[in-house]
């Protein structure tokens, strides 16, 4: 059993949980994820990126948004409750090196998986620019932690309630066309955001990694549900990813595949809300 | 050519069997024994099955199992050949004439004990083994009647014994499962088993019986491997697999789920840091193959693995309780001709698809699926398109599947496999309107464990290389089952699990 040792709400529908999983805490590297399943018999398995880990305490930190049936169920669980199943760490760790000037773009909940990557990049000696994007001020998460590692922190909100009133691609474009052109970009956030970040950096030929959060069942390469088209080839997000060259990902296909179960998901969420 | 079509109701079959049983009793009473010629004249007992119209709408088991009367009649068909060719056809060499003899004596507990000496999973094997290619292929009865499908129904008898045992185990004082729980003399050695399918279960049981401390590692949340996620409920009820796994636990095997060796812990760490004296890799062939044709990543195209896992392991068919969604397909094309293709097609039928089409590039004769599964699928309304192969999958403007283009083939000269090679007929492309495509053309071995374990040698297909005793290129590491054989069968995997366990036990002395 994987007990919830700490739970807090970071923003509307955004929760942080520390879950007891000593082996995962020990093995995980930046960029990896877990599959969690709140109930063994009828629960769904969903991937969540590991935001942080504490080897001494034997915990992993997950930050998630309650958007579907499973994340909504999870958000209703309390400190001390057991999560039935947690498998990980899965996926390949982020390739960390001293690239020079690195820009990390985190959209919404994407700040959670971005933090350990940004932290590792900073430790590797990179000059780090962080762009955080959110719909509004209340949805900006991990600002202080991000600020503590960034050489330059840019916050954008859609409604202008905090930082710049802009999409993240605006400062990204400025950086690419400016004097200190980035040597590498990492973008994690909603698929549409990653798509436009990749489109923004492409003309400047700045290598851009995106971390994909596709539909998965097992997370070990067995089901093939997470496949994406990268450079015309089929790749499995769970074992070949989750990070890919953003300039080569077929985002249209990925977005369509993410919607595979939309009618059923909405139905399940509806039922779930009625029962709450 | 085969007699599996259900033409009688279960009640009729029971009645008929009783009549045969009375006749046989009369023969015995009159002459003292049944002559070979008389045995050969006993009709093969048909497997009672759920009515096709009814079973299309439920997930319950299709084949219902022999009535006791039927088992008694079928057992009398066995000639008790001295050379027992059937035993040689069984990968784990079950004493087949021995257990059938015990059935004729109505001593089913003894029959179960005989099977249990060599097979831990008779309830599973009696259901899913391809007996027609194994024990029943060399059967003298089948040879005499010039039809393998007329051989003694060894698999059905095995299932009968296993099911009888399952229903009577709690009252049976000499229960084999109880015997299994006797604590063996501890050797002080620790063995890790990676994976929890048939190869791993067999290896774990044998090693535990030998007194070693055994820990089994499973990546999924439930152990059982392909028997849990792959084979559907209507062919192998999950309760049966769970019972077998519970037996392992009772024997003292520790099962750790949510543990992916190679990720949760490196294989080398298990040996070097965690004190395991030996490891058996039975992680299976879990990497779905695709055809690499246009449109394969459209919404509505699935690997059979995904489709079946959602239904079987995640219970997505139970829409009122399961959180895992599954495609509400209307018209389905299943690509492939193996057992997994049949499972996918028949699952799609049960999930409410209006049309399910199996597309296979050779003919019915070359299909790798068991004849019984093909017959069952056909009875349930699955349509077969032989000598057809897809050339591309067509999507609508929202990237959802709306059709598949097929190319007709004809049979040419035999290829390496000895089967006649399908040759495309140019210009024979035509469209089939479907909204779902399930790709079921096989599995390769999953590279994850190998890639995270330096020095573990594989062949060019990515299967782990082993010697005749299942030893890999790494000391203390053994492997068996599909990760070595490529996608094979439950019983072959069990055979390898046994082989490896014997080698591990010998090497640990």
């Amino acid at each position: 059993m994987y007990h919830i040792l700490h739970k807090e709400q970071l923003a509307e529908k955004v929760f942080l949980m520390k879950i007891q999983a000593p082996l995962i805490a020990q093995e995980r590297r930046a960029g990896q994820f877990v599959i969690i399943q709140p109930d063994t018999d009828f629960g769904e398995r969903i991937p969540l990126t590991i935001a942080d880990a504490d080897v001494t305490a034997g915990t992993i930190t997950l930050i998630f948004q309650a958007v579907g049936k499973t994340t909504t169920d999870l958000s209703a669980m309390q400190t001390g409750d057991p999560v039935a199943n947690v498998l990980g760490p899965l996926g390949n760790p982020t390739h960390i090196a001293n690239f020079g000037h690195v820009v990390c773009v985190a959209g919404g909940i994407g700040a959670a998986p971005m933090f350990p990557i940004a932290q590792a990049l900073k430790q590797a000696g990179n000059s780090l620019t962080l762009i955080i994007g959110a719909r509004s001020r209340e949805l900006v998460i991990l600002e202080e932690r991000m600020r503590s590692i960034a050489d330059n922190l840019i916050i954008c909100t859609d409604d202008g309630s905090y930082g710049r009133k802009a999409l993240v691609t605006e400062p990204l474009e400025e950086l690419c066309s400016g004097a200190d052109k980035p040597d590498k970009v990492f973008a994690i956030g909603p698929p549409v955001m990653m798509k436009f970040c990749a489109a923004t950096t492409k003309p400047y030929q700045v290598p851009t990694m995106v971390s994909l959060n596709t539909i998965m069942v097992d997370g070990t390469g067995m089901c093939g549900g997470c496949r994406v088209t990268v450079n015309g080839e089929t790749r499995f997000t769970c074992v070949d990813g989750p990070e890919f060259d953003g300039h080569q990902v077929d985002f249209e296909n990925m977005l369509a595949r993410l919607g595979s179960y939309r009618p059923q998901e909405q139905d399940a969420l509806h039922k779930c809300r009625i029962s709450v | 050519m085969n007699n599996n079509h259900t033409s009688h109701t279960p009640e009729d079959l029971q009645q008929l069997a009783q009549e045969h049983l009375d006749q046989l009793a009369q023969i015995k009473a009159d002459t003292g024994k049944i002559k070979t010629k008389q045995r050969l004249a006993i009709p093969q007992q048909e497997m009672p099955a759920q009515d096709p119209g009814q079973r299309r709408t439920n997930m319950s088991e299709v084949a219902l199992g022999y009535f006791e009367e039927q088992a008694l009649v079928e057992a009398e068909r066995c000639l008790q050949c001295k050379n027992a060719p059937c035993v040689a056809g069984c990968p784990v060499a079950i004493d087949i004439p021995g257990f059938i003899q015990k059935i004729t004596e109505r001593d089913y507990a003894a029959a179960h004990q005989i099977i249990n000496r060599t097979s831990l999973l008779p309830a599973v094997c009696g259901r899913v083994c391809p007996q027609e290619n194994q024990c029943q292929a060399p059967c003298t009865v089948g040879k005499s009647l010039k039809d393998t499908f007329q051989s003694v129904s060894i698999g059905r008898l095995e299932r009968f014994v296993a099911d009888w045992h399952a229903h009577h185990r709690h009252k049976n004082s000499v229960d084999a499962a109880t015997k299994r729980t006797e604590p063996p003399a501890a050797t002080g050695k620790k063995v890790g088993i990676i994976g929890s399918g048939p190869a791993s279960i067999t290896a774990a049981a044998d090693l535990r019986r030998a007194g070693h401390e055994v820990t089994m590692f499973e990546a999924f949340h439930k152990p059982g491997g392909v028997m849990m996620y792959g084979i559907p409920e209507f062919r192998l009820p999950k309760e049966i697999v769970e019972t077998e796994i519970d037996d392992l636990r009772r024997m003292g095997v520790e099962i750790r789920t949510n543990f992916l060796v190679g990720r949760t812990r490196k294989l080398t760490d298990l040996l070097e840091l965690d004190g395991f004296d030996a490891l058996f890799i039975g992680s299976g062939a879990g990497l779905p193959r695709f055809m690499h044709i246009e449109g394969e990543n459209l919404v509505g195209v699935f690997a059979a693995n995904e489709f079946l896992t959602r239904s079987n392991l995640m219970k997505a068919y139970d829409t009122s309780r399961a959180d895992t969604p599954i495609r509400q397909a209307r018209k389905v094309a299943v690509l492939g001709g193996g057992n997994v293709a049949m499972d996918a097609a028949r699952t799609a039928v049960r999930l409410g698809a209006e049309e399910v089409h199996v597309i296979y590039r050779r003919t019915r004769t070359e299909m790798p699926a068991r004849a019984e599964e093909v017959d069952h699928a056909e009875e349930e309304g699955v349509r077969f398109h032989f000598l057809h192969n897809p050339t591309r999958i067509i999507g609508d403007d929202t990237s959802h599947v709306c059709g598949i283009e097929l190319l007709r083939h004809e049979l040419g000269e035999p290829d390496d496999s000895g089967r006649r090679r399908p040759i495309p007929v140019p210009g024979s492309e035509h469209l089939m309107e479907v909204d779902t495509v399930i790709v079921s053309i096989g599995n390769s071995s999953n590279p994850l464990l190998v890639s995270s374990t330096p020095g573990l040698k594989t062949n060019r297909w990515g299967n782990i290389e082993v010697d005749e005793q299942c030893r890999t290129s790494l000391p203390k590491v053994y492997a068996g089952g599909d990760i070595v054989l490529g996608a094979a069968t439950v019983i072959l995997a069990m055979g390898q699990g046994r082989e490896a366990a014997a080698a591990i036990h010998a090497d640990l002395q």
Side-chain angles (χ1 to χ4, degrees):
Chain A
M1 279 298 185
Y2 305 81
H3 286 89
I4 300 168
L5 298 187
H6 174 79
K7 176 193 176 186
E8 64 180 278
Q9 187 159 8
L10 300 183
E12 193 198 346
K13 291 192 179 176
V14 179
F15 297 86
L16 177 151
M17 276 182 182
K18 287 188 182 177
I19 295 177
Q20 195 172 34
L23 289 173
I24 304 175
Q26 198 178 329
E27 288 291 319
R28 73 94 210 188
R29 298 289 174 271
Q32 290 188 296
F33 64 94
V34 289
I35 293 239
I36 66 134
Q37 184 191 24
D39 174 74
T40 295
D41 284 320
F42 296 103
E44 186 181 11
R45 295 167 63 93
I46 58 160
L48 289 175
T49 311
I50 304 167
D52 203 354
D54 183 335
V55 178
T56 322
T59 58
I60 55 168
T61 302
L62 303 178
I63 297 178
F64 61 93
Q65 198 166 11
V67 283
K69 166 81 167 67
T70 302
T71 45
T72 304
D73 286 353
L74 190 65
S75 73
M77 294 174 77
Q78 302 301 330
T79 302
D81 287 349
V83 178
N85 302 291
V86 181
L87 171 69
L90 301 171
N92 298 304
T94 306
H95 172 63
I96 303 289
N98 190 344
F99 300 104
H101 179 206
V102 175
V103 176
C104 292
V105 188
I109 191 80
M114 185 58 89
F115 179 73
I117 295 170
Q119 195 177 33
L121 286 165
K122 182 66 193 166
Q123 279 164 5
N126 290 284
S127 158
L128 186 66
T129 300
L130 263 162
I131 305 174
I132 301 180
R135 280 207 317 278
S136 64
R137 178 174 197 140
E138 300 76 51
L139 295 171
V140 175
I141 58 168
L142 303 178
E143 182 188 345
E144 285 320 306
R145 300 190 73 181
M146 291 293 202
R147 195 176 297 282
S148 71
I149 56 168
D151 296 296
N152 179 19
L153 180 73
I154 302 166
I155 294 176
C156 303
T157 51
D158 294 359
D159 63 359
S161 55
Y162 194 46
R164 282 175 68 168
K165 183 178 190 305
L167 297 175
V168 290
T169 44
E170 238 178 71
L172 181 61
E173 171 106 42
E174 290 161 16
L175 286 160
C176 288
S177 60
D180 188 14
K181 181 179 159 185
D183 298 294
K184 185 108 176 167
V185 168
F186 289 85
I188 307 181
V192 174
M193 184 212 87
M194 293 193 282
K195 175 187 160 182
F196 283 104
C197 284
T200 302
T201 59
K202 195 167 184 182
Y204 300 98
Q205 296 181 333
V206 179
T208 300
M209 298 303 286
V210 292
S211 179
L212 305 183
N213 191 351
T214 53
I215 292 172
M216 290 183 192
V217 183
D218 62 302
T220 67
M222 192 278 282
C223 84
C226 67
R227 60 197 196 279
V228 285
T229 312
V230 181
N231 199 19
E233 307 251 318
T234 293
R235 309 294 296 276
F236 288 11
T237 306
C238 67
V239 289
D240 299 324
E243 289 175 11
F244 294 100
D245 178 347
H247 296 157
Q248 298 192 334
V249 171
D250 180 346
F251 281 103
E252 295 309 319
N253 181 242
M254 185 211 167
L255 282 160
R257 289 186 61 82
L258 273 173
S260 298
Y261 296 102
R262 199 143 289 150
Q264 289 105 310
E265 279 161 11
Q266 270 158 7
D267 194 34
L269 194 60
H270 179 66
K271 270 191 240 163
C272 154
R273 285 199 180 119
I274 290 172
S275 67
V276 165
Chain B
M1 112 183 176
N2 107 46
N3 203 24
N4 288 319
H5 287 284
T6 307
S7 44
H8 299 92
T9 66
E11 295 71 27
D12 288 346
L13 291 171
Q14 187 174 21
Q15 180 63 39
L16 278 168
Q18 185 58 56
E19 287 165 17
H20 290 303
L21 210 51
D22 293 343
Q23 288 165 14
L24 290 168
Q26 193 60 50
I27 294 170
K28 274 190 201 168
D30 292 349
T31 63
K33 65 178 281 232
I34 309 169
K35 292 190 195 112
T36 297
K37 209 176 157 189
Q38 289 167 320
R39 288 189 193 278
L40 289 172
I42 304 172
Q44 186 190 45
Q45 297 301 292
E46 184 181 314
M47 181 59 115
Q50 256 201 88
D51 174 72
Q54 189 182 19
R55 71 189 192 231
R56 279 177 60 96
T57 59
N58 67 49
M59 280 288 168
S60 306
E61 202 171 7
V62 169
L64 301 172
Y66 273 164
F67 291 100
E68 183 176 7
E69 295 86 340
Q70 288 186 287
L72 290 168
V73 174
E74 189 66 24
E76 293 293 1
R77 296 183 68 225
C78 175
L79 305 179
Q80 295 289 325
C81 311
K82 288 280 173 287
N83 61 341
C86 48
V87 178
C90 172
V92 296
I94 293 174
D95 175 7
I96 294 165
F99 93 78
I100 293 181
Q101 177 61 38
K102 289 296 171 192
I103 295 178
T104 65
E105 295 166 14
R106 301 186 189 228
D107 188 351
Y108 310 124
H112 185 262
Q113 278 174 22
I114 290 172
I115 298 174
N116 220 228
R117 284 206 298 261
T118 45
S119 172
L120 201 68
L121 307 170
V124 175
C125 293
R127 286 171 167 81
V128 304
C129 264
Q131 291 101 6
E132 60 277 14
N133 301 328
Q134 296 179 336
C135 54
Q136 291 174 200
C139 170
T140 312
V141 173
K143 296 257 186 247
S144 306
L145 299 173
K146 297 187 171 53
D147 182 357
T148 313
F149 289 98
Q150 289 296 317
S151 295
V152 175
S153 301
I154 300 166
R156 294 171 185 174
L157 291 173
E158 182 186 23
R159 173 182 165 166
F160 171 78
V161 171
D163 289 356
W164 181 91
H165 171 79
H167 289 127
H168 294 82
R169 60 191 305 163
H170 56 289
K171 325 179 208 169
N172 194 342
S173 57
V174 287
D175 189 296
T178 317
K179 278 189 177 171
R180 287 185 206 165
T181 62
E182 281 171 18
T187 61
K189 302 286 186 186
K190 256 172 82 171
V191 184
I193 307 284
I194 302 168
S196 63
S200 296
I201 290 174
T202 308
D206 284 3
L207 287 161
R208 183 67 196 133
R209 278 174 181 161
H212 306 296
E213 196 182 308
V214 178
T215 306
M216 187 177 248
F217 300 103
E218 165 58 42
F220 262 129
H221 52 284
K222 284 181 182 171
V226 74
M227 299 185 291
M228 286 304 281
Y229 73 74
I231 305 175
E233 182 77 19
F234 57 81
R235 210 152 70 78
L236 177 64
K238 300 306 139 215
E239 201 187 336
I240 288 171
V241 184
E242 281 161 359
T243 305
E244 301 295 350
I245 299 282
D246 284 345
D247 278 353
L248 276 187
R249 287 203 180 94
R250 265 196 292 276
M251 289 168 73
V253 172
E254 189 197 346
I255 301 177
R256 299 193 64 177
T257 51
N258 301 312
F259 198 113
L260 179 61
V261 177
R263 286 280 190 222
T264 309
R265 200 94 173 120
K266 300 266 182 303
L267 182 137
T268 41
D269 286 349
L270 292 174
L271 289 172
E272 289 160 18
L273 303 176
D274 301 341
F276 281 94
D277 298 292
L279 294 173
F280 171 74
I281 305 172
S283 52
L287 190 78
R289 285 196 202 125
F290 286 90
M291 301 185 74
H292 305 290
I293 56 174
E294 186 188 322
E296 216 157 28
N297 290 344
L298 290 166
V299 179
V301 184
F302 301 89
N305 282 2
E306 179 183 1
F307 190 71
L308 290 171
T309 301
R310 283 179 184 271
S311 181
N312 300 330
L313 181 72
M314 309 309 294
K315 306 214 179 299
Y317 62 84
D318 189 349
T319 48
S320 64
R321 290 197 289 179
D323 288 344
T324 302
I326 195 159
R327 179 88 169 168
Q328 304 292 308
R330 212 166 48 81
K331 295 186 177 180
V332 184
V334 177
L335 314 182
N339 287 320
V340 177
M342 295 308 105
D343 287 346
R346 299 172 68 197
T347 297
V349 167
R350 283 160 175 75
L351 290 170
E354 293 159 22
E355 289 177 19
V356 179
H357 303 270
V358 168
I359 318 287
Y360 181 57
R361 66 196 186 111
R362 302 176 193 252
T363 72
R364 192 181 188 115
T365 323
E366 287 90 16
M367 273 179 99
R370 298 186 64 197
E372 183 179 312
E373 307 306 330
V374 181
D375 290 346
H376 279 155
E378 203 161 44
E379 288 164 15
E380 289 161 13
V382 172
R383 301 180 212 174
F384 290 86
H385 303 260
F386 298 111
L387 290 167
H388 278 82
N389 212 24
T391 44
R392 63 190 175 109
I393 303 167
I394 300 148
D396 63 16
D397 52 8
T398 62
S399 291
H400 284 64
V401 173
C402 62
I404 187 163
E405 185 183 75
L406 304 175
L407 186 63
R408 208 156 49 75
H409 285 60
E410 53 193 23
L411 288 184
E413 295 299 308
D415 63 11
D416 297 347
S417 69
R419 300 180 299 181
R420 291 178 66 191
R421 190 194 305 271
I423 313 275
V425 179
S428 65
E429 291 90 348
H430 54 285
L431 294 180
M432 178 188 274
E433 188 207 321
V434 292
D435 61 13
T436 302
V437 175
I438 301 172
V439 184
S440 179
I441 57 166
N443 280 283
S444 308
S445 56
N446 192 317
L448 202 139
L449 187 58
V450 171
S451 65
S452 63
T453 311
L456 190 58
K457 276 195 194 147
T458 56
N459 65 16
R460 64 193 173 106
W461 297 283
N463 299 326
I464 296 177
E465 278 186 5
V466 294
D467 70 9
E468 279 169 13
Q469 276 78 45
C470 295
R471 295 182 185 91
T472 70
S473 55
L474 286 178
K476 303 183 184 177
V477 182
Y478 305 72
D482 283 3
I483 190 83
V484 167
L485 301 168
T489 60
V490 167
I491 190 78
L492 285 172
M494 287 174 61
Q496 285 218 312
R498 165 141 302 145
E499 197 77 54
I504 291 170
H505 184 59
D507 292 351
L508 285 178
Q509 299 299 309

